[in-house]
Amino acid sequence: MKADLRGAGVRDLGSEGSSRASDRASLRRTNLGLVLRLLRDAGPRPRTQIAEETGLPKATITNLVGELVERGLVREGEAERLGSVGRPSRTVEIDGRTICGIGLEINVDYLSLIALDLRGETVVERHTPFDARGTEPDAVLDRMAEAIDETRDTLRARGVHPVAVTVGAPGVIGMDTGVVSYASNIGWREVAVTEGLRTRLGPGIPPIRLENDAKLGAVAEYLVVAEADIHDLIYVTGETGVGGGIISDGRLLRGSAGFAGEIGHMPLDPTGQPCSCGRRGCWETMVGLSALLRLAAPSNDSVHDPTVDLEQRLAELRRRADSGDAATRAALEQIADGLALGLALLVDVLNPRAIVLGGYFAHFGDYLVDRVRGELSSRVMAPEAGRCDVIPSALGFSAAARGGACLALDRVYQDPSVISAIGG
């Protein structure tokens, strides 16, 4: 009987999953993925322990590990003595330094790209200021394709092979179609992202997948907090818009049509500020980046200039807050109160163990988190806010691209046979 692997940390990052094990070949692929994900989530361990935790025979584990070694996905680690007598066993650990997953995020005023190897280590990282809202979609796709091509050249020179690309975009996206149906903050309607990139990149491009940027951020943040045994969280990212990603019992929550997490357009603003979606009073008009800039500085201030790197503009606002600037401090207090209003509703409905504040919220975490925590305690129906903590993101604006790279690598974790044997 197989052991319960939840305790060992084996998780599903939200991929579509591997095919059903209906024959011997697919059963082997399934078991290869099971072993590889165990090593990813629970860390290096001897073959005997892998057999115990998976419930597979030791001989089967020996063969599976041998195949994973041949494919360059795992390697022999340090010798470990499991008891007081007998020969020490060598541990097996993740390798995969010659493959990577690419995550690419397009947002209102930047383009972010990260390539991670199978161990989760960064191989390439780029963050480029880019006015996506002021650029035609075809030109944006041109720039995205250039970024992927430049990264592939860099990887090729280092002997690293990209196995897949995940593109993160704001708004309502179709995973199956690869189309951004509607992204009000960048002015996109029915933009065929994956097909457009495939056409530009030509033959030989690895599989490309489209996903909502906030959902990718939730995946990346979950990989951080799962080590603290947190498996239910809401990721809320502060960009020009406000997006959300929900992790429930260790799985990415998509909803029946894949739109779960569209929280920025909850009608919460009593002043009825106009929103880019065409409606009034959306939550993001209270707490989005545009709201912070509007509250903190006049429209002719340099912090509104989209051609200046966003992190530089936030650093300037941070400098003003730290120096005691009254307008900036008051703006952050108003943002915190608006955040607490919306978060209290989400906590009452979803009862998460944690809320992770990403995007610009994380940049001002020490100004926002304590005030939000206090407001939540008074607003949420459950005692002590349902044991929900508020945590600033450790990843900032890189979260979506990082989550995309992780999902790209999940293709290998679901089916390691997609990687040929070294030298094969």
Side-chain angles (χ1 to χ4, degrees), residues 95-131:
D95 190 3
R97 289 168 291 181
T98 60
I99 66 170
C100 74
I102 296 176
L104 173 66
E105 180 200 6
I106 182 66
N107 216 298
V108 175
D109 40 23
Y110 66 84
L111 187 151
S112 181
L113 183 148
I114 293 179
L116 301 177
D117 68 17
L118 200 63
R119 299 169 299 173
E121 296 183 4
T122 302
V123 184
V124 175
E125 183 168 7
R126 296 189 172 103
H127 188 91
T128 308
F130 185 75
D131 183 11

Side-chain angles (χ1 to χ4, degrees), residues 147-354:
I148 294 171
D149 252 343
E150 292 166 2
T151 300
R152 291 173 72 200
D153 289 342
T154 300
L155 295 170
R156 190 178 299 113
R158 299 179 185 178
V160 179
H161 170 67
V163 297
V165 178
T166 307
V167 176
V172 178
I173 64 100
M175 278 184 57
D176 296 334
T177 62
V179 173
V180 175
S181 300
Y182 180 52
S184 58
N185 287 315
I186 58 176
W188 282 13
R189 284 185 180 273
E190 303 302 326
V191 177
V193 174
T194 56
E195 183 59 33
L197 290 176
R198 289 191 190 106
T199 300
R200 287 164 172 79
L201 293 167
I205 186 68
I208 301 176
R209 173 182 178 177
L210 179 67
E211 181 56 275
N212 174 266
D213 56 351
K215 288 183 174 65
L216 294 179
V219 168
E221 296 292 350
Y222 173 58
L223 299 184
V224 175
V225 302
E227 295 182 4
D229 201 29
I230 295 175
H231 302 288
D232 295 86
L233 67 87
I234 303 172
Y235 171 69
V236 181
T237 179
E239 314 274 351
T240 298
V242 173
I246 303 164
I247 302 291
S248 178
D249 195 28
R251 293 180 61 87
L252 182 62
L253 185 65
R254 297 188 182 280
S256 63
F259 303 149
E262 289 294 324
I263 59 178
H265 299 285
M266 297 188 296
L268 296 178
D269 183 2
T271 68
Q273 288 283 337
C275 181
S276 61
C277 73
R279 295 179 290 183
R280 288 181 173 271
C282 293
W283 191 32
E284 68 181 40
T285 67
M286 299 176 66
V287 299
L289 178 61
S290 296
L292 173 67
L293 298 177
R294 183 182 72 247
L295 294 168
S299 60
N300 61 351
D301 193 292
S302 61
V303 297
H304 290 272
D305 186 352
T307 65
V308 178
D309 182 61
L310 177 57
E311 295 196 12
Q312 292 181 24
R313 292 187 280 152
L314 293 178
E316 171 58 20
L317 286 177
R318 176 76 198 210
R319 183 195 65 76
R320 296 178 190 180
D322 290 346
S323 65
D325 179 70
T328 307
R329 291 282 188 94
L332 290 169
E333 289 179 359
Q334 190 166 334
I335 293 294
D337 291 344
L339 265 176
L341 176 65
L343 294 180
L345 295 177
L346 296 174
V347 171
D348 275 338
V349 172
L350 296 171
N351 188 212
R353 175 65 182 80

Side-chain angles (χ1 to χ4, degrees), residues 395-417:
L395 303 175
F397 289 102
S398 72
R402 185 169 295 273
C406 291
L407 277 189
L409 287 169
D410 208 44
R411 177 174 180 244
V412 179
Y413 280 110
Q414 295 296 331
D415 182 7
S417 67

